[in-house]
Structure formats: structure tokens, C-alpha cells
Amino acid sequence: MTAIELTPPEAARWAARAGLVLPAERHAAVAALANHIHGVVAVLRELDFADVPPAAAYQAGQEPHDAAV
């Protein structure tokens, strides 16, 4: 996780800015969930997909059936 994490008051402020009503007892839970999601996304951003073709290049049903039974 990064050194900068979303705090419960910041979660409340961002929710209000988005027009969402966030009860006070949910501020900490929302902040914790947002920090968890940020951590997961940070890990995904570190993955190297340089040799992986884009999803549009995949043709369903075109893969060879070579599994042993």
C-alpha cells in the first residue's frame, strides 16, 4: 500500500462531492475498502503485458482442441 491512504473524513468528503449520502458509521469502512481496491489496482499496474495481444485479437472457437482425454 502507498504511504498516502484515504482517511474516513476524506471518504465522506468525496462521497458528498459525488452526491452520495454516506452515514457517519460507514466512513471508516468505505475508506478501508477504497484503500484495498487501490492496493489491488496498484499490483495489477505492475504486471507486464507487453507480449499479450489485445482482447480484440482473440477469436472464440478458433483455439485448437488438443487436450488429452
Side-chain angles (χ1 to χ4, degrees):
M1 188 66 59
T2 63
I4 301 172
E5 292 190 350
L6 187 68
T7 64
E10 289 172 327
R13 189 186 77 205
W14 281 99
R17 182 175 180 167
L20 302 172
V21 178
L22 185 62
E25 65 271 8
R26 301 287 298 153
H27 295 178
V30 169
L33 181 61
N35 288 326
H36 174 73
I37 292 170
H38 185 266
V40 170
V41 171
V43 170
L44 292 174
R45 286 184 175 158
E46 293 176 5
L47 297 176
D48 181 19
F49 292 109
D51 60 340
V52 178
Y58 177 73
Q59 298 293 322
Q62 302 275 333
E63 64 273 357
H65 299 283
D66 58 358
V69 179

